[in-house]
Amino acid sequence: MKMRYKRFLSVLITVFLLSIPALLGAQTKGGSLIYGEYGAPIRLVPVLANDSISIRLIELIYGSLLYYNANGEEVGDLAEAWEVSKDLKTITFSLRKDVFWHPVPGEQGRRPFIADDVVKTFEIMMHPNTLTSLQSRYNFISSVQKIDDHTVVFTLRKPVLNVLGRFSFKIMPAFLLGRITSLRGDEDLLLYKHPVGTGPYIFVSQEGSSAEVVLKANDRYHLSSPYIEQVIMRPFADQNIITQTLLYGGIDLEVRVPPRDISEIQGDAQFELAPYSTLSYSFFGYNLRNPVLAIKEVRKAISYAINRQEMLNSFFEGKGQLISGPFAPGSWAYNLDVRSVPYSPGEANRLLDRAGFTERTKDGIRTRGSYKLQFQMVVPISKENETTKRVILAFQNYLRSVGIQIDIKWLEWKTWTENVFVKNDYDIIYADWLFDDSFDISSLFHSREIGPGRNNFCAYKNPEVDSLLDESRSTLDIEKKRTIYRKLHEILAEDVPYTYLWTLTNYAAYNRKLRRVEIHPTRFFTYVRDWYVLEEDQK
Amino acid sequence: MIRFVKVFFREALNMLLLIIGVTALLYLLFNIMPGFFPGKGEGLFGYTQLLRKLFTFQFGTSIITGRDINGIVFPAFRNTIVLTVGSIFFSIVIAVPIGIFSAYRRFKTYSWPLVIFSYIMSTIPVFYLGYLVLYIVSRYTGVLPIYYPQGSGRGNPLLSFMLPILVLGFGNESISEIVRLISTELERVMHSDYAVASKARGESVLWSSVNEGIMIPLISIVFSKIPFIIGGAVIVEHVFNWPGMGRLAFQATLDRDLPLLIVITFLSVLCVRGGMLLKELALLYINPHEK
């Protein structure tokens, strides 16, 4: 009864909040939204895309069976209704009958969305030859079957917690895929050049060299149709001028504001800053195959030797939060009782002494017999290499003062992934993990996941962790899972396979002429159809 | 006429050899590097396939983005040509009068500030000059003059179009070189015996000297600057968001889009060697008797 009361209250509050903009000004259709990105989209194909710029655009163009609303509940998009069987092994989706694909160039009329599209998309996604990072996420599904044009059934290998949340993958049109069974990216497909989806916005054009993408509102959208008439994605080659362009009205929305520009926008009443956190964190990861790094004291000493708060403050303007373990803070899995390691060079020195590294070379590097505290750090040359560089150099300096030498090797991205994940040719890395809502860390720390191309690149092995991870995978009880995760958090903080650093808060900035802006943490534009521009601001 | 044809074929042969050399090197390099492009690892056959693609200008599709390379690269190529040619033109327009002015003796005391100015402009790196100009212009006009493609125009299109050209024209280091060259050459010609003699006859020396003394070095210096100007264009394109080849090459490198990178390199070689060819022909045209 209490629950129901609460829900009623929240509905009331929502209604009230929704009516505020109506009081402030009329919501009318029209206007345009130009947003700026650092870099160009790589691939506007749902199954293949794994860069965030493409993912954001795909969110505008394509639809999925379900999506999460702002309260974290599943809502139907292409699915009208769904039913999970009693044994939790089959899920039946009834598809909406009023959904149409965007117009295809050179074709009259619009094709209806049917069950074949879901089946085809899923089969392509799971085909072993398809180049996608999504397969491990959907391995639990054994098959998908079309019952009739508007019903599909997914059969699961085993019950999974929060299973409905997984059905937010984007659906592609089967009639444009033809006989193709897998996607590698080199096929000659119309879909690669001209995305056709069911989402709120229709792809219009992508200008050749500037890669500017123009979208227009879908006039036959099956959910409430979007207010803003036109959306334009403008790529920037230089991060320094995106914020300036926003401030001078060249764009209306900046997806990710560089930390040092935040104060400039904050001081301007014409613009709004919207924080969103992405369920990710940064860390230093160690290669435990190196006999010196296999010593726990050494890893711990490194954690003590670096001043993480200072790095966060000076390189990211303090826009973030220090973490103590392997989960993204803000998730239900995070254990707040574990304290993050404080900065203490004294403690670091004590630990290194205790580990036997008492002698020093001429340059002040600690040694023990033939072992020397000298490690190679491999770093990918990424787009944001400016702050990365500063973090790495600070890291090098901190360790220098306790007698550890770090050699830095910059690698191009693909070589880096190969070195770290396949050849395991590295000592320390600086990287991030980005999580989905399941917070499954078994691929990161389970000993089964050691090996070329696997995510446990540290070669971390702990039987207790293994059994806890197995237990957590088999349970469906969220409370039990939380207890297990809290325990895991504790062990993994103590064992330091990583030095956990921080999670950053991202900021989007937008012109106040955009109203009712709400941002999805990873997909960004999920709620875009509610955004609108006041009539007097539409030019 | 025969000399023209001869020079043309000699240069064309040079160009062909260079292209074969560069593409062979690229093919080798990209075979060693991780990443994929059609024809990789197929040895000589793969290489000939690549050459056929390049020489027929049918570049195929990019394996990373799945988009048609011809449709991406030619608009970018056009934009870069507009930027570089415009900036060369601008450099000449600025530098030649300063050079002549400073060579012409009567104005020596007045011309040195201009010469100093041209040196200062040439020593400011393009990326710095770009930001500086962006800052000043946006500060005083209230618009940010970066490139806006058609269809989403906001701000002042003419300003956005002209500013990058002006910045590259000023910052490509050729102004000071042209000024120095013209003033020394002109002075030499104007003090030569025949110039003194014609001056004694009361004829105007300046314009005939300009014609005889500086055209040839001017042409050689301008065309030899082309590779550097293209290099500067990469930076200007970056700062002003100008959708040209430099930006494209940078993005392609980050995305590891090897097929696109090969095409971009090919077109740049074509551009640079094409400039050399034009230079030879122009020199021949001005002075048909010189060997």
Side-chain angles (χ1 to χ4, degrees):
Chain A
M1 202 56 207
K2 206 175 175 193
M3 277 305 282
R4 196 163 285 170
Y5 173 67
K6 251 187 191 163
R7 183 166 287 179
F8 176 69
L9 199 67
S10 72
V11 167
L12 213 68
I13 290 172
T14 320
V15 168
F16 176 67
L17 287 178
L18 290 182
S19 62
I20 289 180
L23 297 174
L24 293 176
Q27 290 176 39
T28 43
K29 300 217 170 185
S32 67
L33 158 66
I34 304 182
Y35 73 98
E37 291 265 20
Y38 177 40
I42 294 177
R43 251 185 201 291
L44 297 180
V45 184
V47 168
L48 300 177
N50 60 0
D51 63 302
S52 52
I53 299 176
S54 302
I55 287 172
R56 283 190 276 266
L57 276 165
I58 285 169
E59 184 69 14
L60 290 165
I61 300 170
Y62 285 90
S64 49
L65 289 173
L66 305 173
Y67 72 99
Y68 278 106
N69 69 10
N71 302 328
E73 301 157 69
E74 301 90 22
V75 185
D77 176 0
L78 299 176
E80 198 167 42
W82 50 90
E83 197 188 321
V84 184
S85 70
K86 282 226 175 68
D87 62 353
L88 304 173
K89 283 231 166 147
T90 59
I91 304 172
T92 312
F93 286 98
S94 314
L95 307 178
R96 295 180 72 110
K97 299 180 181 72
D98 55 349
V99 181
F100 291 90
W101 290 101
H102 295 166
V104 179
E107 258 184 47
Q108 289 290 317
R110 295 215 195 168
R111 302 213 191 201
F113 160 77
I114 45 173
D116 297 276
D117 299 316
V118 180
V119 175
K120 185 84 182 172
T121 301
F122 185 77
E123 281 173 356
I124 285 180
M125 182 163 78
M126 298 312 284
H127 194 283
N129 286 343
T130 298
L131 291 178
T132 180
S133 54
L134 294 171
Q135 278 169 8
S136 62
R137 203 166 133 73
Y138 294 99
N139 264 335
F140 70 93
I141 298 173
S142 69
S143 72
V144 56
Q145 220 180 348
K146 169 188 170 183
I147 303 297
D148 58 51
D149 266 0
H150 296 285
T151 317
V152 282
V153 176
F154 285 87
T155 312
L156 314 187
R157 292 206 167 85
K158 53 174 197 255
V160 172
L161 191 67
N162 285 338
V163 67
L164 286 172
R166 307 283 180 105
F167 290 92
S168 55
F169 61 88
K170 300 292 177 193
I171 307 293
M172 298 187 289
F175 64 94
L176 285 179
L177 292 161
R179 289 218 194 102
I180 284 173
T181 53
S182 67
L183 288 182
R184 298 190 62 80
D186 50 359
E187 298 88 358
D188 186 24
L189 264 185
L190 176 73
L191 213 50
Y192 287 175
K193 292 158 200 156
H194 192 105
V196 173
T198 54
Y201 284 91
I202 298 176
F203 178 87
V204 177
S205 64
Q206 182 172 18
E207 204 217 320
S209 49
S210 74
E212 188 175 86
V213 178
V214 181
L215 312 172
K216 67 165 196 237
N218 185 353
D219 48 339
R220 285 174 74 179
Y221 192 50
H222 51 280
L223 302 172
S224 65
S225 56
Y227 290 105
I228 299 173
E229 208 58 56
Q230 189 186 37
V231 174
I232 294 171
M233 192 285 292
R234 172 173 295 161
F236 283 81
D238 186 339
Q239 203 175 11
N240 294 314
I241 59 171
I242 308 181
T243 304
Q244 294 308 313
T245 313
L246 177 80
L247 294 176
Y248 284 102
I251 55 173
D252 307 317
L253 167 77
E254 184 178 3
V255 164
R256 193 170 171 191
V257 184
R260 63 157 178 249
D261 290 347
I262 286 173
S263 56
E264 200 175 344
I265 295 171
Q266 231 157 13
D268 199 324
Q270 212 192 328
F271 302 95
E272 184 85 53
L273 271 176
Y276 61 100
S277 91
T278 52
L279 300 181
S280 69
Y281 63 79
S282 312
F283 61 92
F284 292 120
Y286 306 109
N287 190 347
L288 307 187
R289 295 171 190 85
N290 181 328
V292 182
L293 283 173
I295 305 167
K296 200 206 270 185
E297 278 81 7
V298 173
R299 299 190 315 259
K300 266 199 158 157
I302 295 177
S303 297
Y304 276 112
I306 56 176
N307 191 342
R308 295 176 293 164
Q309 189 64 54
E310 193 177 87
M311 286 201 265
L312 187 65
N313 288 348
S314 45
F315 306 147
F316 302 98
E317 318 274 320
K319 307 288 183 204
Q321 186 188 341
L322 294 187
I323 55 165
S324 60
F327 296 102
S331 75
W332 52 266
Y334 192 83
N335 186 346
L336 287 166
D337 295 340
V338 181
R339 312 292 301 180
S340 84
V341 184
Y343 170 56
S344 164
E347 181 63 27
N349 278 321
R350 245 192 315 283
L351 280 165
L352 291 174
D353 285 340
R354 204 195 303 159
F357 291 92
T358 44
E359 291 150 41
R360 285 183 188 245
T361 64
K362 277 199 298 283
D363 329 326
I365 306 169
R366 287 169 176 270
T367 57
R368 185 182 86 187
S370 60
Y371 289 136
K372 194 173 174 192
L373 289 185
Q374 181 173 18
F375 305 112
Q376 188 175 65
M377 179 156 199
V378 294
V379 189
I381 308 168
S382 61
K383 289 183 190 176
E384 284 84 8
N385 61 8
E386 200 182 316
T387 34
T388 307
K389 212 176 259 172
R390 292 162 83 186
V391 171
I392 303 294
L393 290 179
F395 179 67
Q396 199 179 24
N397 274 335
Y398 284 130
L399 294 193
R400 182 91 212 158
S401 65
V402 294
I404 300 174
Q405 165 91 25
I406 300 290
D407 303 320
I408 297 165
K409 196 163 147 194
W410 296 90
L411 296 174
E412 184 275 326
W413 172 256
K414 285 220 168 134
T415 324
W416 182 83
T417 47
E418 212 172 274
N419 266 27
V420 173
F421 289 96
V422 183
K423 296 186 201 148
N424 305 121
D425 176 21
Y426 74 98
D427 293 323
I428 302 179
I429 61 164
Y430 169 54
D432 306 278
W433 283 125
L434 181 68
F435 286 91
D436 58 30
D437 40 272
S438 69
F439 304 107
D440 192 352
I441 57 165
S442 55
S443 81
L444 312 185
F445 298 110
H446 201 292
S447 61
R448 194 175 50 220
E449 298 286 335
I450 301 172
R454 302 260 178 170
N455 276 343
N456 189 351
F457 52 86
C458 297
Y460 173 73
K461 222 179 289 178
N462 182 340
E464 196 187 348
V465 168
D466 284 359
S467 66
L468 279 172
L469 285 172
D470 288 335
E471 205 183 325
S472 82
R473 283 209 112 175
S474 61
T475 181
L476 282 176
D477 179 2
I478 185 132
E479 275 311 314
K480 198 170 162 208
K481 203 159 182 165
R482 190 200 297 267
T483 323
I484 297 171
Y485 275 6
R486 285 173 68 89
K487 182 79 188 144
L488 275 171
H489 187 137
E490 225 169 87
I491 299 171
L492 287 165
E494 170 64 25
D495 273 358
V496 266
Y498 299 165
T499 288
Y500 312 97
L501 297 173
W502 46 66
T503 180
L504 297 176
T505 312
N506 288 339
Y507 286 86
Y510 59 90
N511 195 311
R512 285 242 162 94
K513 74 178 205 190
L514 287 178
R515 299 299 171 98
R516 216 205 280 161
V517 174
E518 198 152 355
I519 294 164
H520 188 278
T522 48
R523 297 173 159 196
F524 206 87
F525 285 118
T526 307
Y527 316 119
V528 73
R529 61 198 156 88
D530 294 333
W531 301 11
Y532 68 101
V533 183
L534 281 186
E535 196 164 9
E536 57 261 37
D537 290 329
Q538 297 175 2
K539 274 174 276 180
Chain B
M1 196 57 212
I2 292 172
R3 284 180 58 98
F4 267 93
V5 176
K6 248 164 118 179
V7 167
F8 181 80
F9 275 106
R10 193 187 66 210
E11 283 300 312
L13 188 69
N14 268 346
M15 184 146 70
L16 192 69
L17 287 176
L18 190 74
I19 286 170
I20 289 178
V22 167
T23 47
L25 208 64
L26 271 184
Y27 184 74
L28 210 70
L29 211 66
F30 285 176
N31 262 302
I32 300 168
M33 270 162 48
F36 180 79
F37 63 93
K40 180 171 182 171
E42 291 170 28
L44 206 57
F45 176 71
Y47 179 57
T48 47
Q49 290 288 97
L50 177 70
L51 278 188
R52 210 193 59 198
K53 234 189 206 169
L54 292 179
F55 282 113
T56 54
F57 288 90
Q58 293 301 321
F59 300 135
T61 41
S62 150
I63 46 157
I64 303 292
T65 57
R67 298 174 63 205
D68 184 30
I69 293 184
N70 287 45
I72 302 172
V73 102
F74 284 121
F77 190 62
R78 190 197 57 216
N79 289 339
T80 299
I81 293 286
V82 168
L83 183 62
T84 46
V85 171
S87 75
I88 291 173
F89 180 75
F90 181 70
S91 301
I92 294 174
V93 166
I94 293 285
V96 171
I98 295 180
I100 294 175
F101 199 51
S102 76
Y104 208 51
R105 286 209 296 177
R106 261 187 298 172
F107 295 116
K108 201 105 199 177
T109 38
Y110 304 105
S111 69
W112 72 265
L114 282 174
V115 177
I116 298 280
F117 168 75
S118 75
Y119 273 82
I120 290 175
M121 284 314 263
S122 293
T123 45
I124 299 179
V126 192
F127 61 88
Y128 186 69
L129 189 65
Y131 283 132
L132 205 67
V133 167
L134 263 186
Y135 178 75
I136 293 170
V137 170
S138 57
R139 201 63 207 252
Y140 289 106
T141 65
V143 288
L144 192 69
I146 58 165
Y147 182 85
Y148 295 122
Q150 276 86 35
S152 65
R154 283 186 190 177
N156 186 335
L158 186 69
L159 194 65
S160 309
F161 179 75
M162 286 308 292
L163 221 56
I165 294 177
L166 297 192
V167 165
L168 187 59
F170 263 120
N172 65 17
E173 299 167 32
S174 56
I175 287 186
S176 64
E177 257 177 73
I178 297 174
V179 167
R180 195 178 59 222
L181 176 109
I182 288 180
S183 60
T184 54
E185 279 293 305
L186 206 55
E187 236 168 300
R188 187 181 59 77
V189 175
M190 278 168 52
H191 290 97
S192 64
D193 291 345
Y194 71 85
V196 172
S198 59
K199 199 173 184 183
R201 286 197 297 275
E203 293 161 3
S204 164
V205 193
L206 183 65
W207 295 114
S208 60
S209 307
V210 167
N211 261 328
E212 286 167 34
I214 66 170
M215 273 320 263
I216 293 170
L218 184 64
I219 285 174
S220 356
I221 206 166
V222 165
F223 280 101
S224 66
K225 273 279 164 189
I226 286 179
F228 297 97
I229 294 175
I230 290 178
V234 174
I235 293 161
V236 171
E237 283 172 10
H238 228 82
V239 173
F240 289 93
N241 226 29
W242 185 281
M245 296 264 280
R247 241 188 75 179
L248 198 63
F250 184 68
Q251 187 71 41
T253 316
L254 288 181
D255 298 346
R256 225 156 217 288
D257 198 341
L258 299 189
L260 187 56
L261 272 178
I262 293 177
V263 172
I264 291 171
T265 320
F266 172 73
L267 287 180
S268 337
V269 171
L270 223 55
C271 210
V272 170
R273 279 322 293 190
M276 289 291 147
L277 176 71
L278 277 182
K279 170 188 144 190
E280 293 291 321
L281 294 180
L283 287 180
L284 206 62
Y285 176 75
I286 286 169
N287 193 352
H289 306 297
E290 190 155 341
K291 298 247 162 166

